[in-house]
Each structure stands twice: as structure tokens, then as C-alpha cells.
């Protein structure tokens, strides 16, 4: 992509490429059937969460196992706001934008609180705090069942296609459009932050927190900011997922799903936005492909029931082991590795080396040929 517009650098290049890729994804919805558009919308929702998580783990080096809880916070914030605005007679795009804003604020507040803990904890202690958060989601929904409706969750009113586009697209395609636009805005902002000063400071804190402090970097503030930004992305993903499925419940944001998000960013490549996209697609498409393949096999009902759900976990585990052994940088690093290999200089053959050394005459050749240091000095007088 950088070869198309070589004059662009920094944030302008990120913004242009983000807009172009978003438009390409929107145009691709015309080639898909309704179910594929639903899958694409789900991938876009997960992409927001995984992009925030790969920024948190890959850039700042903070392990979080509670990304699903932050998505749930965004989903509940959107659902409750959308229902309140529906009761007030406000529908359509204003309702969606207001619900999205509340979802982002709620998830950002929760992420800020986690960031305060992250500034004082590290390693397994930080992972334990975030793990407790995702485990507490069903309990919180049960305690506040009057508002969050317990295990049943919160349903929102049907949000159809705007009247201007009713004759052009179906509701699944409209949902895919909304999910793609939100993901484009969120991921482009994350990419711009990762390539700016904040990303540089996060990487400095990740590599050596003491050295970063000696160079004037406030590590505590950087950690809190990283958690807050990642939580905003997760909350936006949860709100989009609620918009697509028209409901939010604690059963959709379990510990297994939270761990799956971590596995997805590791498979794709930590710190890579493209790797987060690959991981999001794997979360949605791999279980569907395995289910389709299982249904095509002549299996008994008991065996098919045992494989349902468990087979995808097994395959994810095996895929994680293979990728970590073969490509430690994740699937997104394959292209960079091939490009780096192609740029390596070809070593001269043994015959060429012998022929070259035979033509040299010891002190005479050294007298006539300048050394590398002298050549470097002549380039920089």
C-alpha cells in the first residue's frame, strides 16, 4: 500500500489508507449474500476489540484477559441508551450515534479504572485483575437484573434500513455498512496513535520502564492511556455487535470468548493491525467452516453434539501451537518475512571468491584500493 502514494507519510497516509480500505470493504458487501454480510458485520465488530487488544498487549506490553467484559460494557451501554431513546420517540441515526457515544463513555470509564490498577500491577497480577472482571459479568447482570435483565439480557428495538436506502440494500448489508464504518474509524484512530508519540512512549515503557522514566516518560500515565484507548475500541465493538444482533446478554461474553480474543491477536501477530483483522476473521469463519465440514460427514447425533463447540477450541489450540513454532511473529508476519528474505543479498559462490582473491597482489592491491573507512570518510568530509 505504501508504494501507491509514496509521498504520503505519517498520519495523513494512515487516514487515506483507512478511508480507502473502508470504501473497498463497503463495496464488497454488494458481492455477498445476506448471511455473508452478517458474518462480515460480526468480523468488523470483533476487529474493533482485537485491534484495541493488540495495541494494549503488543505496544504497551500489558496483558489483559478482560476484553470481553469491556465489550459487554459497551453493548449494555448501547442497548440501555437505545431503549431509552426509543421510549422517547427518537429513532434512526440519532439513536445509534447517541447509543454509541454512551457505550464508548462507559467502556472508557471502566478501562480507566483498570488502567489505574495496571499502573501499579504487572504480569500475572494484572492478568488476574482483568480475569476477575470478565468472570464477574454474569454476577453483575444477575445482581442488577431489574436493569440488565439477568441471563436473558437486554433486547433493543428493530433498527432497519434508512428510507433513502430501502430500495438499494437489505438490512444485513446496512448492518455491515455500519459495522465497517465504525471499525474503519476506530482502527484508523488506533493506527494513528500507534504510529505517533503515544505509540513510541508505549513501546518505550514495554521495553524498559526504568529507562523510559529516566528519559522523562511517565509510565503510569502511558499505561492508563493505553488501557483507556483499548477499552474504547472494545466498547465500540460491543456496541456494534449489539446493533447487529439486536441484543446483549452475559452469555455472549464469557471467559472462553475473552481468551479467544487473546488467542486471535496472538495468531494474527501482536502489535499488528493486520494481524488483528486476521484473528477476527478466524474467530467468525473457522467455527463456521468446521461446522459445515462436520455436517457433511456421516456422524451420529451423539458424536456431532460432542464435536459442536469443542472441535473449534481444539483446532484453535493446535493452530496456536503450529503458528508459534513456525512463525512466532504471527500470520501477519509471513508477508514481512518473505519480503525481508527477498531483499537479502545473494552470497557469492566459492569459485567467484577464489577468482577474486587470486587477482589481488597483497600489499600492491591494498595500496591502490581505499579501505571502507576511508570511503566512508570521503562521503562525509
Amino acid at each position: 500500500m505504501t508504494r501507491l502514494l509514496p509521498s504520503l507519510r505519517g498520519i495523513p497516509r494512515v487516514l487515506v489508507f483507512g478511508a480507502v480500505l473502508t470504501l473497498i470493504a463497503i463495496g464488497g458487501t454488494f458481492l455477498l449474500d445476506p448471511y455473508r454480510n452478517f458474518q462480515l458485520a460480526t468480523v468488523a465488530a470483533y476487529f474493533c476489540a482485537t485491534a484495541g487488544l493488540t495495541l494494549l498487549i503488543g505496544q504497551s506490553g500489558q496483558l489483559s484477559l478482560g476484553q470481553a467484559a469491556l465489550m459487554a460494557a459497551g453493548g449494555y451501554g448501547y442497548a440501555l441508551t437505545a431503549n431509552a431513546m426509543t421510549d422517547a420517540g427518537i429513532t434512526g441515526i440519532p439513536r445509534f450515534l447517541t447509543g454509541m457515544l454512551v457505550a464508548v463513555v462507559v467502556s472508557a470509564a471502566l478501562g480507566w479504572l483498570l488502567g489505574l490498577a495496571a499502573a501499579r500491577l504487572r504480569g500475572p497480577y494484572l492478568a488476574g485483575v482483568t480475569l476477575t472482571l470478565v468472570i464477574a459479568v454474569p454476577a453483575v447482570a444477575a445482581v442488577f437484573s431489574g436493569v440488565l435483565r439477568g441471563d436473558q439480557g437486554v433486547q433493543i428495538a428493530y433498527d432497519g434500513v434508512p428510507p433513502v436506502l430501502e430500495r438499494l440494500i437489505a438490512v444485513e448489508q446496512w448492518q455491515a455498512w455500519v459495522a465497517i464504518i465504525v471499525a474503519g474509524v476506530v482502527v484508523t484512530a488506533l493506527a494513528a496513535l500507534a504510529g505517533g508519540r503515544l505509540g513510541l512512549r508505549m513501546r518505550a515503557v514495554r521495553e524498559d520502564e526504568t529507562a523510559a522514566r529516566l528519559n522523562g516518560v511517565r509510565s503510569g500515565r502511558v499505561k492508563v492511556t493505553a488501557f483507556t484507548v483499548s477499552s474504547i475500541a472494545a466498547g465500540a465493538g460491543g456496541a456494534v455487535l449489539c446493533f447487529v444482533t439486536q441484543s446483549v446478554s452475559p452469555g455472549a461474553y464469557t471467559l472462553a470468548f475473552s481468551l479467544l480474543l487473546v488467542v486471535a491477536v496472538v495468531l494474527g501477530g501482536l502489535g499488528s493491525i493486520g494481524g488483528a483483522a486476521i484473528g477476527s476473521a478466524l474467530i467468525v469463519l473457522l467455527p463456521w467452516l468446521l461446522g459445515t465440514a462436520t455436517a457433511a460427514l456421516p456422524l451420529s447425533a451423539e458424536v456431532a453434539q460432542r464435536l459442536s463447540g469443542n472441535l473449534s477450541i481444539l483446532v484453535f489450540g493446535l493452530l496456536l501451537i503450529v503458528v508459534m513454532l513456525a512463525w512466532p511473529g504471527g500470520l501477519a508476519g509471513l508477508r514481512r518475512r518473505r519480503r525481508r528474505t527477498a531483499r537479502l543479498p545473494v552470497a557469492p559462490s566459492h569459485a567467484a571468491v577464489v577468482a577474486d582473491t587470486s587477482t589481488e597482489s597483497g600489499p600492491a592491491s591494498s595500496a591502490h584500493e581505499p579501505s571502507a573507512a576511508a570511503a566512508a570518510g570521503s562521503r562525509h568530509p
Side-chain angles (χ1 to χ4, degrees), residues 11-22 47 51 181-194 273:
I11 294 180
R13 182 176 66 184
V14 173
L15 297 178
V16 170
F17 287 154
V20 170
L21 293 177
T22 301
F47 188 22
I181 292 173
V182 173
V185 172
V186 171
V187 175
T188 302
L190 291 177
L193 290 175
I273 298 295

Side-chain angles (χ1 to χ4, degrees), residues 190-203:
L190 291 177
L193 290 175
R197 291 184 177 180
L198 178 59
L200 182 60
R201 292 173 180 174
M202 286 192 295
R203 291 189 292 273

Side-chain angles (χ1 to χ4, degrees), residues 1-331:
M1 294 295 291
T2 56
R3 297 179 181 178
L4 299 178
L5 296 173
S7 60
L8 288 177
R9 291 291 185 273
I11 294 180
R13 182 176 66 184
V14 173
L15 297 178
V16 170
F17 287 154
V20 170
L21 293 177
T22 301
L23 293 176
I24 292 175
I26 291 176
T29 59
F30 288 96
L31 305 177
L32 304 177
D33 56 51
Y35 182 68
R36 298 295 180 272
N37 277 318
F38 171 78
Q39 288 182 322
L40 180 60
T42 307
V43 170
Y46 291 162
F47 188 22
C48 295
T50 54
L53 189 60
T54 196
L55 178 73
L56 180 65
I57 302 177
Q59 297 287 334
S60 67
Q62 301 180 92
L63 178 60
S64 174
L65 303 179
Q67 198 77 346
L70 298 170
M71 289 185 67
Y76 275 107
Y78 177 84
L80 295 176
T81 305
N83 288 339
M85 297 194 69
T86 301
D87 296 337
I90 302 175
T91 59
I93 296 180
R95 179 179 64 182
F96 173 79
L97 293 178
T98 306
M100 182 64 64
L101 177 62
V102 173
V104 168
V105 171
V106 171
S107 59
L110 185 58
W112 179 74
L113 293 176
L114 281 176
L116 294 179
R120 295 167 174 82
L121 300 174
R122 64 183 63 187
Y125 303 102
L126 176 59
V129 171
T130 56
L131 184 64
T132 304
L133 181 66
V134 71
I135 293 177
V137 170
V140 172
V143 171
F144 299 97
S145 58
V147 178
L148 304 182
R149 307 289 177 84
D151 294 337
Q152 295 181 356
V154 180
Q155 285 74 34
I156 64 174
Y158 173 75
D159 199 348
V161 184
V164 180
L165 302 174
E166 282 183 348
R167 298 183 179 181
L168 180 62
I169 59 176
V171 62
E172 292 84 4
Q173 190 173 359
W174 165 246
Q175 292 173 348
W177 282 19
V178 173
I180 291 170
I181 292 173
V182 173
V185 172
V186 171
V187 175
T188 302
L190 291 177
L193 290 175
R197 291 184 177 180
L198 178 59
L200 182 60
R201 292 173 180 174
M202 286 192 295
R203 291 189 292 273
V205 172
R206 179 196 64 190
E207 295 299 332
D208 193 328
E209 186 173 345
T210 303
R213 289 179 178 177
L214 292 176
N215 284 276
V217 178
R218 298 182 178 180
S219 59
R221 180 176 296 182
V222 171
K223 290 181 178 181
V224 172
T225 304
F227 251 101
T228 305
V229 171
S230 176
S231 302
I232 289 175
V240 169
L241 193 61
C242 179
F243 170 79
V244 172
T245 60
Q246 298 177 9
S247 66
V248 56
S249 63
Y253 302 100
T254 60
L255 175 60
F257 176 67
S258 191
L259 296 176
L260 188 60
L261 292 176
V262 178
V263 172
V265 298
V266 173
L267 286 175
L270 286 175
S272 170
I273 298 295
I278 295 173
S280 303
L282 286 176
I283 293 176
V284 176
L285 298 180
L286 186 58
W288 171 72
L289 291 174
L290 293 175
T292 304
T294 304
L297 297 176
L299 302 176
S300 63
E302 182 180 358
V303 174
Q305 184 178 3
R306 290 183 178 181
L307 291 179
S308 178
N310 296 324
L311 181 59
S312 60
I313 297 177
L314 175 62
V315 173
F316 268 113
L318 294 176
L319 186 60
L320 179 62
I321 295 174
V322 171
V323 170
M324 289 299 97
L325 291 177
W327 310 289
L331 297 176

